[in-house]
Amino acid sequence: MNKKILSMLTIILALASSGRCSNVYSRKDFPKGFSFGAGASAYQWEGAVDEDGRKPSVWDTFVHSRNQDNGDITSDGYHKYKEDVQLMVETGLDAYRFSISWSRLIPNGRGPVNPKGLQFYKNFIDLLVSNGIQPHVTLYHYDHPQDLEDEYGGWLNRRSIEDFTAYADVCFREFGNHVKFWTTINEANIYTLGSYNDGLLPPGHCSSRSRCSSGNSSTEPYIVGHNLLLAHASASRLYKQKYKDIQGGSVGFSVFTIGFAPTSSKNDEIAVQRAKAFYFGWMLGPLTYGDYPDEMKRIVGSRLPLFTEEESALVKGSSDFLGVIHYLATSVTSVTHVESQREPNFYTDMGISMKFIGNYTSFDYAIVPWAMEAVLEYIKESYGNPPVYILENGTPMKQNLQDTPRIEFLHAYIGAVLKSIRKGSDTRGYFVWSFMDLYELLSGYEYSFGLYYVNFSDPRRKRTPKLSAHWYSAFLKDNTTFLGSQVTAQLQSRFSSSY
């Protein structure tokens, strides 16, 4: 760490111990064994999209067909993973969360394993473990092979459950001796909405023919969500039957969470409960209780698939932990549900309008840590207080080494996690999104979440630590106690003079 920055962190510690600043906490305040990390995903970090046997995923097809920014090279993690692991060591990460590219490991979606893809992930995982960094692996991060989409429609077809389970089997068998934390599906609820209700993510389905060439927003999100739950449960059962006793790992499922607050009226308070039933209960209801929430079943009716008794038993209790993805809070206003609406969708079914606190569309996220506390409290009270890992939390900014707002955001939310733990939440880990600048799925390269700056105009993709990387590293190494914005400006000043 730069000596000037270390000196500034020492000043911060002195200020904290003198009692001049409030909301002070340190790493030592967290339970023993609590994991701090950061993350990325395969398509956003790896690059090398047509190298060493990898075939296109739905992301490749989606972005190239729309002439959008793409992950063809992005941070070039496929070639630079050794350097990146060294940065993780220097930062002090306990754990690193990443995903495996199904298209790199099993290029056709089923059948032969790609030996070069297999070797890449083995090398990467071995290097993490040999450096004392715990791998947290996500099996599916929005990127199934295009071949499966072309052959039978991907997640809209129940054949995807069998193919996903076979893919998971390869991962468990090949990597499970080192990987103890598996997340099957990344934020299944928001992926399903983005891909099959709104058409913003691959394969780009929705009812609007001005935006999507195909899709049905009234039915497809529910079909896909159902198949994702069954695919997760199938992979989880396989792990328990075949690998758990030998490998000793755990299998979880992740959801996107929002902090909901009523706008004003009693109806808005009721609408918040309805929003939670749809956003949380859609996935967590079956995982915890074996079925969808009653209110969701009543409103969606026959468009919501039914679990057979066997499927209900398979899904219920199939997640050893819950992965929470959290960035946002929103105010909720009740909207009258129109029974005669010709083509409903997830949002009209929910019967609410949402106004994000901050400006979500311009990637200006508000710092509202109460939302994190509210999410963790709701999960604790409504779904049996499962083990939770915060798998993503962070804020986007235009690329800037002096990312002071990111420090303020992270400080507030890590503090919120600590408060939740003190109130009884079984939260066991926190991962910053993202470890470095990446191809972002909704904003390309315009905004970034990274602790490390990546120069995308440099063929070598040089990495440079931002102010937030120094902040997080010092916290992880317990070099200092962290405060709010009162002293961050001083740290920023020292940082500026060192570059």
Side-chain angles (χ1 to χ4, degrees):
M1 183 181 294
N2 184 286
K3 289 183 179 179
K4 290 183 178 180
I5 295 173
L6 183 58
S7 175
M8 189 62 240
L9 293 172
T10 303
I11 293 171
I12 292 175
L13 177 59
L15 286 171
S17 60
S18 71
R20 289 168 56 186
C21 299
S22 60
N23 196 22
V24 176
Y25 62 83
S26 76
R27 179 170 186 168
K28 292 177 181 176
D29 292 313
F30 286 81
K32 184 178 180 181
F34 189 93
S35 292
F36 281 100
S41 81
Y43 185 73
Q44 296 174 269
W45 171 70
E46 288 179 6
V49 295
D50 57 359
E51 292 186 38
D52 293 342
R54 182 189 182 275
K55 290 183 66 176
S57 76
V58 288
W59 262 107
D60 298 289
T61 304
F62 183 79
V63 295
H64 283 285
S65 67
R66 289 161 174 76
N67 197 28
Q68 296 179 0
D69 284 343
N70 59 68
D72 288 1
I73 302 173
T74 183
S75 311
D76 198 23
Y78 186 76
H79 298 111
K80 296 178 72 69
Y81 73 92
K82 293 179 182 178
E83 176 184 335
D84 290 348
V85 172
Q86 185 56 40
L87 292 178
M88 296 174 205
V89 173
E90 293 172 5
T91 305
L93 299 188
D94 300 325
Y96 186 70
R97 183 220 176 192
F98 64 98
S99 70
I100 290 172
S101 168
W102 191 344
S103 296
R104 193 179 297 284
L105 188 64
I106 308 176
N108 296 322
R110 72 167 74 85
V113 174
N114 174 19
K116 291 186 177 180
L118 176 65
Q119 194 60 53
F120 166 71
Y121 290 114
K122 283 192 170 183
N123 291 345
F124 181 43
I125 290 168
D126 287 350
L127 192 60
L128 288 170
V129 172
S130 66
N131 280 280
I133 298 170
Q134 180 78 258
H136 278 242
V137 175
T138 298
L139 293 174
Y140 183 72
H141 199 117
Y142 300 6
D143 56 349
H144 58 278
Q146 183 64 39
D147 280 0
L148 300 185
E149 188 69 24
D150 293 340
E151 181 182 350
Y152 57 68
W155 288 113
L156 281 167
N157 194 307
R158 290 174 70 99
R159 290 173 63 184
S160 59
I161 299 168
E162 181 180 352
D163 285 338
F164 178 78
T165 305
Y167 158 61
D169 194 10
V170 172
C171 293
F172 297 151
R173 181 184 73 232
E174 298 293 344
F175 313 128
N177 288 336
H178 287 322
V179 176
K180 305 306 175 189
F181 295 93
W182 298 96
T183 300
T184 52
I185 310 293
N186 180 65
E187 51 187 22
N189 50 351
I190 206 71
Y191 159 70
T192 304
L193 295 178
S195 298
Y196 297 91
N197 191 86
D198 305 335
L200 299 175
L201 304 172
H205 285 208
C206 68
S207 292
S208 170
R209 289 299 168 261
S210 64
R211 190 164 70 249
C212 305
S213 61
S214 62
N216 184 333
S217 300
S218 71
T219 58
E220 288 189 359
Y222 301 115
I223 294 168
V224 170
H226 198 75
N227 289 340
L228 289 173
L229 284 164
L230 292 174
H232 155 80
S234 175
S236 177
R237 176 176 62 183
L238 171 74
Y239 187 82
K240 289 179 172 66
Q241 291 177 343
K242 193 172 178 181
Y243 297 102
K244 190 174 182 68
D245 288 345
I246 301 169
Q247 297 176 356
S250 57
V251 176
F253 186 89
S254 90
V255 294
F256 185 87
T257 65
I258 297 175
F260 294 111
T263 300
S264 57
S265 70
K266 182 68 175 177
N267 283 342
D268 296 341
E269 293 178 10
I270 296 171
V272 164
Q273 299 309 311
R274 196 161 59 246
K276 290 177 179 178
F278 273 74
Y279 259 93
F280 292 81
W282 184 17
M283 301 295 165
L284 300 189
L287 292 174
T288 308
Y289 304 112
D291 201 1
Y292 297 114
D294 288 340
E295 187 167 20
M296 196 173 185
K297 291 194 290 184
R298 177 181 62 80
I299 293 171
V300 181
S302 61
R303 290 179 289 118
L304 187 65
L306 298 174
F307 290 106
T308 66
E309 287 188 18
E310 181 182 357
E311 289 170 345
S312 177
L314 177 68
V315 172
K316 182 179 179 179
S318 62
S319 194
D320 297 321
F321 64 87
L322 176 64
V324 166
I325 315 293
H326 181 76
Y327 297 96
L328 303 165
T330 180
S331 59
V332 173
T333 303
S334 180
V335 176
T336 302
H337 182 69
V338 182
E339 297 290 347
S340 61
Q341 185 164 355
R342 276 197 314 194
E343 186 156 345
N345 60 52
F346 182 87
Y347 298 107
T348 59
D349 288 341
M350 193 161 43
I352 69 168
S353 66
M354 298 187 295
K355 182 178 180 181
F356 287 100
I357 299 171
N359 193 331
Y360 174 61
T361 56
S362 64
F363 297 93
D364 180 17
Y365 293 4
I367 300 176
V368 283
W370 61 261
M372 176 74 87
E373 293 182 58
V375 162
L376 294 177
E377 180 67 18
Y378 183 73
I379 291 170
K380 181 186 75 172
E381 294 298 324
S382 301
Y383 300 103
N385 199 18
V388 167
Y389 289 86
I390 310 297
L391 293 181
E392 291 184 26
N393 179 242
T395 190
M397 293 177 61
K398 296 278 190 178
Q399 286 204 349
N400 190 340
L401 290 175
Q402 299 186 46
D403 56 345
T404 306
R406 180 169 288 116
I407 293 175
E408 295 171 349
F409 186 100
L410 297 176
H411 167 258
Y413 282 80
I414 293 173
V417 172
L418 179 60
K419 289 180 182 178
S420 297
I421 292 170
R422 287 171 170 168
K423 293 178 181 176
S425 172
D426 190 13
T427 302
R428 301 182 182 185
Y430 173 91
F431 292 72
V432 174
W433 186 269
S434 54
F435 185 62
M436 64 181 57
D437 293 341
L438 309 164
Y439 168 72
E440 283 298 333
L441 302 183
L442 293 178
S443 63
Y445 297 99
E446 184 178 3
Y447 294 90
S448 70
F449 288 75
L451 298 172
Y452 283 79
Y453 167 79
V454 175
N455 184 352
F456 293 110
S457 62
D458 179 356
R460 298 169 300 172
R461 296 301 196 266
K462 181 182 178 182
R463 284 87 156 110
T464 304
K466 301 178 187 178
L467 190 65
S468 58
H470 292 291
W471 184 92
Y472 195 45
S473 179
F475 168 68
L476 296 179
K477 296 172 183 177
D478 207 36
N479 287 339
T480 186
T481 301
F482 287 96
L483 320 165
S485 59
Q486 295 160 298
V487 294
T488 305
Q490 297 175 52
L491 176 58
Q492 182 183 28
S493 176
R494 283 296 180 94
F495 181 82
S496 300
S497 65
S498 67
Y499 282 92

